[in-house]
Amino acid sequence: MEKERVIERQELLEAFSHHSSGNWAKAEILYQKIIGADPQHPDSLHILGSLAFCLDEDRIATDMLIQAIQLNPDRSHYYGTLGDVYKKQGMLDKAIRCYQKALQLDPTIPEILISLGSVYHLKNRVNDAIDCYQRALKLMPDSVRAMVGLGTIYKELGQIKDAESLYSNSLRLASNVGVEIKSALLLPVICESIESIQHYRMKISRQIKQIMRRAIHLDDPYLQVGTTGFHLAYHGMNNKDIQQSIASLHLKACPDLSGVNPACCKKKGRRSKIAVGFISRFLHQHTIGYLNHGMIKNIDREKFQVTIFRFIGKDDQLSEAINQAADVVIYLPDHLKKARRMIAEQALDILFYLDVGMDSLTYFLAFSRLAPIQCTTWGHADTTGIPNLDYYLSSALAEPPDAQQHYSEQLILLNRFPMYCQYPEVPNEAPNRERIGLP
């Protein structure tokens, strides 16, 4: 019997290198060697596209999968894999079309329904996402992915008991530290009483301690946990200890989170300007965009070079204005390690998180030392508990005398509010009820 051939990563990388540089002849020889078949066969193209996707060669993966579909447009799993590539690249509308086409060809594939549900969730099409997850669970009642995906939506909707039930059911089927942490951090959007607040805070602390007693490991907390202690800020209590315990849990599970950009340790030559980077997922028509557009636009360009880090997906009039106000605009991928690497490459002097805790990717990015000075502010009015965040910008007009005791960061109190708001434009015409659809 012929021994099954093991595909070596180095062979694939070499083949992909020839492919991306346009050296098709050498790439084809290597593909034939790797697959042992005609690389123009659609199944071979699909296999190679899938492997390229796994090795983060997204452009090559897209190219090969499109070729496979052109050669055989009736294979639902080809569209599913291409949808996964588009999702990873942040091209959510293209991902949706691929998953929908896959389901047209075969509506009984639960994995495709789950993937489509996750993209609908990212697009905030909550009802469509719930429908996909529920259909997947009818086809595969023991699908852990569907349970966790649906549970996460229920968590965001404030349906805590439903979320807790789904997480518990998934953990009975398969142990998963990420889901355990998700479950531990479950919290109502608004608690109904002081007793309820105390109950949930005690539950979070107790479950974190239980998890911390064990040997735990996470490869990617953004993908495996993907949640923060956001709603703790609504309790009106000192969250320093509980936020620090959450951060300690993540660091124990994934020590790599606290990685240091080597550029932070090198002595830099004298620069003509201070390189400052502003980062947020909400640099568009959102509170964060409105509060910070003026600061990004008007910060002294004699002293500072301004880079903004944003994400694909929200383009509007304000996002365009913010882009124009910056010296450099960098779109980060929805991928923790890649985003971390792209920020590090800028060799910033200061990295300013305009919010920490509202978005799980920027929350986990803040664990790393990507600039010598790292700070945050009122984008989310709560301490982070993260050791690598140095300063929290607030205002003496808004903080109590013992404010520093509430922050893990060093508190910087300005004599004004840490924002720059533009006056709204007053419409020329008076409000018209008919124009906005009111009787």
Side-chain angles (χ1 to χ4, degrees), residues 62 137 140 152 166 174 233 264 297 322 348 354 359 394 429 437:
T62 304
L137 284 169
M140 188 188 292
T152 300
L166 283 160
C264 295
K297 181 179 179 180
I322 291 170
L348 300 167
L354 300 176
D359 169 67
S394 187
E429 298 179 21

Side-chain angles (χ1 to χ4, degrees), residues 148-159:
V148 173
L150 186 56
T152 300
I153 291 177
Y154 286 149
K155 172 189 78 76
E156 292 171 3
L157 293 174
Q159 298 172 219

Side-chain angles (χ1 to χ4, degrees), residues 94-364:
K94 286 187 174 183
I96 287 171
R97 288 195 289 272
C98 285
Y99 293 141
Q100 287 174 336
K101 179 63 178 177
L103 290 169
Q104 283 176 15
L105 293 167
D106 186 348
T108 66
I109 307 175
E111 290 82 5
I112 301 292
L113 283 163
I114 294 165
S115 296
L116 180 57
S118 70
V119 178
Y120 280 145
H121 187 186
L122 290 170
K123 293 280 287 182
N124 205 31
R125 293 173 58 174
V126 176
N127 291 333
D128 289 329
I130 290 172
D131 177 64
C132 285
Y133 287 130
Q134 288 177 338
R135 286 165 60 194
L137 284 169
K138 284 182 181 177
L139 292 166
M140 188 188 292
D142 289 344
S143 171
V144 169
R145 278 185 66 209
M147 289 178 191
V148 173
L150 186 56
T152 300
I153 291 177
Y154 286 149
K155 172 189 78 76
E156 292 171 3
L157 293 174
Q159 298 172 219
I160 299 302
K161 292 194 183 305
D162 291 332
E164 195 167 27
S165 174
L166 283 160
Y167 287 160
S168 296
N169 289 341
S170 77
L171 288 169
R172 277 193 284 271
L173 292 165
S175 62
N176 186 312
V177 174
V179 177
E180 283 188 70
I181 297 173
K182 280 177 184 282
S183 186
L185 297 181
L186 280 174
L187 194 62
V189 176
I190 298 174
C191 290
E192 59 190 16
S193 64
I194 296 294
E195 291 74 25
S196 176
I197 288 173
Q198 292 170 339
H199 163 77
Y200 278 102
R201 291 172 75 89
M202 289 175 63
K203 177 192 85 81
I204 290 172
S205 297
R206 183 178 65 253
Q207 292 187 4
I208 285 174
K209 286 176 183 175
Q210 289 172 351
I211 299 169
M212 286 280 279
R213 291 191 192 109
R214 300 175 3 232
I216 54 175
H217 175 73
L218 292 171
D219 292 314
D220 187 333
Y222 171 56
L223 289 179
Q224 294 169 273
V225 179
T227 192
T228 73
F230 176 83
H231 293 112
L232 289 166
Y234 298 144
H235 292 175
M237 296 185 177
N238 186 339
N239 290 326
K240 179 181 174 182
D241 289 345
I242 196 166
Q243 291 285 23
Q244 285 182 315
S245 69
I246 293 168
S248 296
L249 176 61
H250 291 311
L251 286 167
K252 178 175 182 179
C254 184
D256 179 62
L257 271 179
S258 62
V260 177
N261 173 15
C264 295
C265 306
K266 291 179 181 175
K267 224 176 181 182
K268 296 178 183 176
R270 188 171 178 81
R271 286 181 172 179
S272 59
K273 295 181 182 180
I274 297 167
V276 58
F278 296 91
I279 179 170
S280 176
R281 192 181 287 276
F282 306 107
L283 289 170
H284 53 87
Q285 286 180 352
H286 182 281
T287 307
I288 301 301
Y290 291 122
L291 293 180
N292 294 289
H293 173 212
M295 179 167 60
I296 291 167
K297 181 179 179 180
N298 293 289
I299 193 169
D300 187 351
R301 291 308 202 275
E302 294 294 317
K303 296 180 180 178
F304 296 95
Q305 177 179 334
V306 174
T307 299
I308 62 171
F309 299 96
R310 60 183 316 134
F311 298 85
I312 295 169
K314 290 283 187 178
D315 294 315
D316 52 39
Q317 191 173 357
L318 184 56
S319 70
E320 181 58 31
I322 291 170
N323 282 359
Q324 290 176 359
D327 299 311
V328 180
V329 179
I330 294 176
Y331 282 85
L332 297 174
D334 251 343
H335 189 284
L336 181 60
K337 290 184 180 179
K338 283 186 177 180
R340 195 164 63 187
R341 186 166 63 246
M342 288 173 69
I343 296 169
E345 285 169 355
Q346 298 305 303
L348 300 167
D349 298 304
I350 303 169
L351 180 55
F352 193 1
Y353 288 86
L354 300 176
D355 56 276
V356 176
M358 292 172 62
D359 169 67
S360 60
L361 180 52
T362 50
Y363 172 76
F364 287 114

